[in-house]
Amino acid sequence: MSEAGGDAPSAAGTGPETADSAVERAAKHTPEAIPLRVTGLEKHFGGIAAVDGVSFEVEAGTLTGLIGPNGAGKSTTFDLITGVQTPDAGTVHFRGQDVTGLRPYQIADRGLVRTFQIARELSEMTVLENVMLAPKHQVGESLWRSVTPGAREEVVAQERELRERAWETLDFFALDHLAEEYAGNLSGGQRKLLEMARVLMTDPDTVLLDEPLAGVNPTLGNQLVERIHELRAQGLTFLLVEHDIDVVMNHCDPIVVMHQGRVLAEGPPEAIRADERVVDAYLGETL
Amino acid sequence: MSVGTATRDAVAAVRARLAEDDALLLLAVALGIYALFVLVSVVLGLGLNGTANTLERITFLSAVYAMVVLALNLQWGYAGLFNIGVAGFMAVGVYTMAILTGSPTGSPPGLGLPLPVGLVGGMLVAALVGMLAALPALRLRADYLAIVTVALSEIIRLTLLSTTFATFTVAGVTLGTGGGQGIELPTNPVRALFYVDPGNPSSGATGFGSVVFDIFGRIYVPFMAGRGIQPAVVLNWAYAVVLVLFVAGFYWFLTRVGNSPFGRVLKAIREDELVANALGKDTNRFKVKTFAVGCALMGLAGILWQGSQGFVTPGSFVPLVTFFVFIALVVGGPGSNTGSVIGGAVFASLLFEGPNFVRRIVEQLANNGLRIGGLTVGGGGLGATPNNFVDAVAPLFSLHVAPLVAYSLENISSLRLVFLGVVLVYLLQRRPEGLLGHRKEVAAAVDLSRREDGGEAG
């Protein structure tokens, strides 16, 4: 993949200085500490630059927020990171490896998975089937193992284990009472939860959440955010796109602000709240 | 009242039982169809041998359709791969088998290999051609696969028809498709069970054959004219039974494929391929595999379909065959293996063969009348059959319906297509989920519903 955009200047990092010493900074910048690093990403649609030289890093164990007004290029950035679309320029590094331009399944296979802005439930499959689909490298995904009498025992054994995990995950997201329902019959909020459940079943390292709270009622939304914090405590890293500014300000650290395809600001919530450019971008909305 | 409630309860209980138990459901459908055709045979006065012959034809066609529909269900019902080249893949299977097993001195000459080699070869080449069709289409939208496959199917048929390939020489070996003349097929091995020389019944029956022929020759059924079933019908029945066993094999195989993580990925591809991909599944690999396996099964089904005959022509593989298979799958319910078998049987017996029997019954009643007690109603025939549609419709204005009825009956095989089209439109509008309704054939190797009790499933 082209490295053309690799040295594009980043508009980020101009926020207030953090107190970290140089040594601490260096330690944090090992590939393990920075699971996801995006450098100079660009994507043009016709004459419009949807993403125009975006660079940022997501550090291990953080719940990093990605905000910006409508059309700022957040979802396109997600698509570029996860291989749904191929960037025109720039690179995506995941855990030290260049994953730019890989197919979505190859990126997911490495532990970087995403949810979608509009929930993409598999509607003619049950909730359980949806969740059971997700675990990676299932023995029974091999055609001959599924059919051959001896080898099928192994498949059945793994299915039993996965069933346990599937039910635990559904309990975790309070979807257990809907387990045998078709996913298409779920409400918008429940579909969002199902997407989260499905993504977690892949044993991810880093999860990109595209507006996970849209359409979810506030009570459920709070529970969901709590769940995210629990998972973060277990070592997962999150990058969250969310329209609800309060949620982002209260729960995300650091926050990356995008505007017109570029990174406008990057830093802890207090700094973002105080940043005039961000306030301008949101047309004076109180942050 | 209470009797009515009791019957209703009993009916509900039977329905619930059938909904749960697929084997019972299949058996019930088979018995229902047989009962109907025994009744039809009695009305037509076919006698014992004729009835046996009718039931054999129904069984044979149902089994053939069940196999092809099962194969298509894997591709379209499970993975959503829109393959409308079914007839072409069947042709590839049949012709490969014929060329591999044909006698080197025959016309057209073949390679003279044993039959099992022909069977496996036919399936492999059908799978290979399927993969070739699928590979370029995978990068494009789903509709393109449909266009590619239907075009390929016609290219295959026209190639088989062309005189260029009727005989040709590759690396010093002369082979051929026989062009429009058709190609000879190996003698079906079931005959070898019954006759000393399978190709020639006058050579005499084998020990097994003479015992079986003797037993069936003595059968007598009360209320049915004639005694005994002729050897030719017994032989056809034997072949039909072999096909039913193959249907069972197809069903076993495809149920295991469906009820597994593999089947789960296929369903996910059908529902939303990007999701499957974003969850780490290499969807293209699954699609190519599925396409290859489905086409191999179509090739095998084609071989078994044509295998009872001495030879085959390209005319057997017109696109209409593909659409018949699709109608059968829609009738049964895409995505369900049990539904596929039922769809195949219902289509073949009621929709495909049914109209001919309707014609025969109406003609029978029109000519001989319906006897109720000592009274005969009707009779005397429908009169002369009009030569064209105008002659058939015009008498309607003078309230003469008979000419139109006679005309319709005369052209029932053409009308059948109209009828099938209407059935398809009705089903897609009113019952897109098929006869069986919305079925949850959950794609998993274990029962997912139980957990607290440990879940004994397998």
Side-chain angles (χ1 to χ4, degrees):
Chain A
M1 266 293 133
S2 153
E3 295 275 343
D7 54 356
S10 163
T14 45
E17 274 301 309
T18 49
D20 290 353
S21 74
V23 180
E24 278 176 306
R25 268 172 175 273
K28 279 175 86 175
H29 280 68
T30 57
E32 273 310 301
I34 302 167
L36 181 62
R37 173 184 287 150
V38 172
T39 319
L41 271 193
E42 281 181 34
K43 182 71 183 179
H44 302 267
F45 296 111
I48 300 157
V51 174
D52 192 9
V54 165
S55 302
F56 61 85
E57 288 169 356
V58 177
E59 293 183 9
T62 60
L63 170 51
T64 302
L66 180 61
I67 59 168
N70 281 329
K74 307 180 297 283
S75 283
T76 309
T77 305
F78 262 35
D79 284 353
L80 296 177
I81 293 173
T82 53
V84 174
Q85 296 186 48
T86 316
D88 297 333
T91 56
V92 179
H93 284 265
F94 182 63
R95 298 169 85 184
Q97 280 180 316
D98 188 351
V99 297
T100 324
L102 292 185
R103 302 275 319 279
Y105 78 89
Q106 292 170 314
I107 291 170
D109 198 42
R110 285 164 165 74
L112 176 62
V113 291
R114 68 170 296 177
T115 64
F116 293 89
Q117 186 179 4
I118 296 158
R120 300 182 87 133
E121 78 290 349
L122 304 165
S123 46
E124 297 265 308
M125 295 170 76
T126 66
V127 168
L128 265 167
E129 279 181 299
N130 264 269
V131 176
M132 294 276 290
L133 168 75
K136 287 185 292 195
H137 307 295
Q138 297 180 37
V139 189
E141 282 173 14
S142 144
L143 179 67
W144 75 268
R145 273 177 198 278
S146 293
V147 176
T148 321
R152 188 164 170 97
E153 296 308 311
E154 214 181 314
V155 174
V156 169
Q158 197 190 39
E159 289 274 274
R160 290 222 173 88
E161 285 167 34
L162 290 182
R163 178 177 58 192
E164 284 308 306
R165 267 190 63 205
W167 277 102
E168 280 166 25
T169 310
L170 291 182
D171 286 340
F172 187 81
F173 286 101
L175 286 170
D176 49 322
H177 63 293
L178 296 166
E180 282 166 63
E181 199 59 56
Y182 276 116
N185 296 341
L186 267 53
S187 74
Q190 289 164 339
R191 289 175 201 195
K192 287 282 186 183
L193 292 178
L194 177 59
E195 277 219 353
M196 280 278 286
R198 217 166 47 189
V199 155
L200 288 182
M201 285 291 283
T202 66
D203 264 331
D205 182 272
T206 300
V207 182
L208 309 190
L209 299 171
D210 200 346
E211 297 194 23
L213 302 182
V216 180
N217 76 57
T219 323
L220 206 59
N222 286 335
Q223 286 175 11
L224 191 62
V225 173
E226 267 169 44
R227 301 268 145 82
I228 293 173
H229 281 301
E230 277 174 45
L231 292 164
R232 201 162 64 89
Q234 291 168 23
L236 266 68
T237 306
F238 288 91
L239 176 64
L240 175 88
V241 164
E242 184 52 55
H243 260 304
D244 188 334
I245 298 293
D246 289 337
V247 170
V248 176
M249 289 296 169
N250 291 334
H251 296 280
C252 296
D253 188 11
I255 294 169
V256 179
V257 185
M258 281 185 71
H259 183 46
Q260 292 177 345
R262 293 166 182 273
V263 174
L264 189 66
E266 198 176 0
E270 313 80 60
I272 295 298
R273 215 188 287 267
D275 194 312
E276 291 215 347
R277 291 166 306 167
V278 176
V279 177
D280 285 346
Y282 275 93
L283 292 170
E285 273 179 62
T286 340
L287 294 176
Chain B
M1 274 306 253
S2 69
V3 176
T5 325
T7 349
R8 223 175 302 140
D9 286 352
V11 169
V14 169
R15 289 184 85 150
R17 186 88 181 78
L18 289 179
E20 262 165 41
D21 194 333
D22 286 5
L24 217 59
L25 182 64
L26 289 171
L27 194 68
V29 170
L31 288 179
I33 291 173
Y34 280 147
L36 180 68
F37 277 91
V38 167
L39 195 71
V40 167
S41 303
V42 168
V43 170
L44 291 176
L46 293 181
L48 178 59
N49 192 60
T51 308
N53 195 26
T54 304
L55 296 187
E56 183 277 324
R57 170 134 180 97
I58 297 299
T59 311
F60 170 79
L61 276 176
S62 297
V64 168
Y65 271 99
M67 281 187 283
V68 194
V69 173
L70 276 168
L72 181 64
N73 183 46
L74 176 70
Q75 296 179 338
W76 187 52
Y78 267 88
L81 296 169
F82 202 19
N83 174 9
I84 34 180
V86 178
F89 297 113
M90 289 167 86
V92 170
V94 175
Y95 269 82
T96 307
M97 196 258 317
I99 291 170
L100 287 176
T101 58
S103 154
T105 54
S107 163
L111 290 171
L113 296 168
L115 186 63
V117 177
L119 277 176
V120 174
M123 289 174 72
L124 284 180
V125 175
L128 211 70
V129 174
M131 275 166 80
L132 282 180
L135 280 173
L138 286 178
R139 306 189 146 268
L140 304 164
R141 273 203 356 243
D143 326 30
Y144 289 92
L145 182 65
I147 296 166
V148 167
T149 49
V150 75
L152 183 73
S153 168
E154 278 298 88
I155 291 170
I156 290 167
R157 185 176 68 84
L158 294 172
T159 307
L160 296 174
L161 202 56
S162 82
T163 46
T164 318
F165 297 104
T167 54
F168 57 92
T169 306
V170 186
V173 185
T174 305
L175 300 168
T177 63
Q181 301 288 310
I183 191 167
E184 248 182 78
L185 293 171
T187 323
N188 108 48
V190 175
R191 294 178 73 92
L193 276 177
F194 293 89
Y195 290 117
V196 179
D197 175 4
N200 180 17
S202 59
S203 63
T206 58
F208 173 76
S210 50
V211 171
V212 175
F213 290 153
D214 189 49
I215 293 172
F216 281 96
R218 288 161 186 275
I219 286 184
Y220 167 75
V221 178
F223 306 113
M224 268 199 193
R227 179 184 283 269
I229 297 168
Q230 288 162 14
V233 177
V234 173
L235 207 62
N236 286 341
W237 255 111
Y239 190 73
V241 169
V242 170
L243 290 202
V244 170
L245 293 179
F246 267 98
V247 172
F250 270 55
Y251 183 81
W252 176 86
F253 177 83
L254 290 169
T255 308
R256 278 168 97 94
V257 171
N259 297 347
S260 75
F262 184 87
R264 210 146 60 211
V265 176
L266 297 192
K267 274 187 170 186
I269 290 172
R270 176 192 72 198
E271 293 298 311
D272 191 336
E273 189 178 347
L274 180 56
V275 168
N277 215 319
L279 290 172
K281 316 294 178 196
D282 183 356
T283 49
N284 278 354
R285 261 188 58 202
F286 283 92
K287 281 157 74 178
V288 171
K289 266 192 198 177
T290 303
F291 213 72
V293 170
C295 289
L297 292 178
M298 286 169 188
L300 178 58
I303 292 170
L304 294 168
W305 172 35
Q306 295 296 328
S308 62
Q309 296 170 6
F311 80 106
V312 63
T313 62
S316 299
F317 305 102
V318 289
L320 199 57
V321 173
T322 302
F323 293 110
F324 284 165
V325 176
F326 263 94
I327 294 173
L329 180 50
V330 171
V331 166
S336 162
N337 286 317
T338 307
S340 299
V341 176
I342 291 176
V346 167
F347 174 83
S349 52
L350 303 186
L351 301 180
F352 188 77
E353 282 292 284
N356 278 325
F357 283 97
V358 170
R359 176 178 60 92
R360 287 169 67 178
I361 289 174
V362 173
E363 282 175 356
Q364 173 95 359
L365 293 179
N367 293 332
N368 302 335
L370 179 65
R371 266 180 230 114
I372 305 166
L375 271 168
T376 302
V377 182
L382 289 166
T385 305
N387 288 324
N388 57 53
F389 188 64
V390 175
D391 288 351
V393 172
L396 280 182
F397 295 105
S398 43
L399 299 179
H400 285 109
V401 186
L404 180 62
V405 173
Y407 180 76
S408 304
L409 291 174
E410 183 72 20
N411 295 292
I412 199 141
S413 52
S414 309
L415 278 173
R416 182 173 64 186
L417 298 181
V418 177
F419 167 64
L420 286 175
V422 170
V423 168
L424 186 61
V425 169
Y426 176 82
L427 281 174
L428 288 176
Q429 291 219 325
R430 294 299 182 87
R431 261 189 106 75
E433 69 275 16
L435 274 187
L436 288 186
H438 226 132
R439 290 169 56 88
K440 289 180 186 174
E441 282 182 15
V442 173
V446 293
D447 181 358
L448 296 180
S449 60
R450 286 169 290 173
R451 50 171 180 161
E452 261 89 20
D453 58 5
E456 270 324 299

